Amino acid sequence: MDAMVDKAELTETTGDDIKRPTRAEAEAAVRTLISWAGDDPAREGLIDTPSRVVRAYEEFFEGYTEDPAQVLGRTFEEVEGYNDIVMLRDISLESHCEHHMVPILGKAHIAYMPINSVVGISKLARVIEIYAKRLQTQETMTAQIAETIASALKPAGVAVMIEAKHQCMTTRGIKKPDVATITTQFTGVFKDDPRMEERFFRLVRGDRSY
C-alpha cells in the first residue's frame, strides 16, 4: 500500500518540486555529451557550444516558467450576444518530444463555444505556446490545452486538433519523413453533438459551406 502511495505522489511531482542544476552544471553536461558523441568540446568550433545550447534550452522550455490558466484569467463579457464558435486555425507549433528531446513541428487548431464571456484571441495562442515549450507527448499536450481552456473559460465546449511531425520518427528510428500525427480532444457540445464536431472539422479544412 505504501509503495502505491509513493508512486502516486511521484506522478504528481511538478517542475516546482525539482531542484534545477546551475548554469555551470548544465554547460558541463553539454560538454560531456559532446565528448560522448566523439568530438572535443575544447576545440575552437565547439568551445562556446555549451553556453549556446543552454541559452537555446531556455527558449525551448520557457513554458515551465508560465501558468497557462493565469494567461486566460482576464475575460470580456461585452460580446453583444455572440454565441457561436470562436476558432483559431493553423497556429504554428514547436515542441520537443519527451522521449528523445527532438522537435515536434506542426499546427494546432482550437475552438470554443462561449456562453457569457470571451478571451483575447492572442491568449489562446499563448496557451498553446506555453504547453508546447515543455517536454511533451502530443497526446498529453492536446488534452492539456483543451482542459485549460475548458476550466478557465467555462464555455459550452472546446475543440482542439494538433497535426505535427515528430523528428523522433522522421530523422531517426523508422525514418518516415512524411508521416504526420493527428490528435484531437473535444469537450461539451463538440463532444456530444456530431454536428458541432463536423463544423469544427469543416472550419479546419477552410470549408464555410455549413
Side-chain angles (χ1 to χ4, degrees), residues 96-110:
H96 282 76
C97 163
E98 68 179 33
H99 299 140
H100 301 94
M101 297 182 71
V102 294
I104 300 170
L105 305 174
K107 293 184 181 296
H109 318 282
I110 59 175

Side-chain angles (χ1 to χ4, degrees), residues 132-175:
K133 297 298 185 181
R134 300 178 180 185
L135 292 169
Q136 285 286 14
T137 67
Q138 186 172 323
E139 297 88 341
T140 298
M141 178 166 50
T142 305
Q144 288 172 332
I145 293 167
E147 173 58 29
T148 297
I149 296 172
S151 178
L153 302 185
K154 303 293 190 294
V158 176
V160 178
M161 175 178 175
I162 295 177
E163 44 189 334
K165 294 184 178 181
H166 296 234
Q167 289 192 9
C168 57
M169 74 172 291
T170 64
T171 62
R172 60 160 300 282
I174 197 169
K175 295 183 181 177

Side-chain angles (χ1 to χ4, degrees), residues 69-140:
Q70 190 173 32
V71 168
L72 298 177
R74 184 183 180 190
T75 59
F76 304 91
E77 296 184 2
E78 296 181 4
V79 294
E80 300 296 334
Y82 185 84
N83 61 355
D84 207 345
I85 293 175
V86 177
M87 181 173 188
L88 274 68
R89 190 179 68 189
D90 294 334
I91 305 167
S92 295
L93 181 146
E94 299 175 3
S95 190
H96 282 76
C97 163
E98 68 179 33
H99 299 140
H100 301 94
M101 297 182 71
V102 294
I104 300 170
L105 305 174
K107 293 184 181 296
H109 318 282
I110 59 175
Y112 72 101
M113 180 75 78
I115 296 178
N116 296 315
S117 61
V118 297
V119 70
I121 56 176
S122 67
K123 306 302 184 184
L124 295 171
R126 188 62 190 154
V127 168
I128 292 174
E129 184 79 354
I130 290 171
Y131 281 120
K133 297 298 185 181
R134 300 178 180 185
L135 292 169
Q136 285 286 14
T137 67
Q138 186 172 323
E139 297 88 341
T140 298

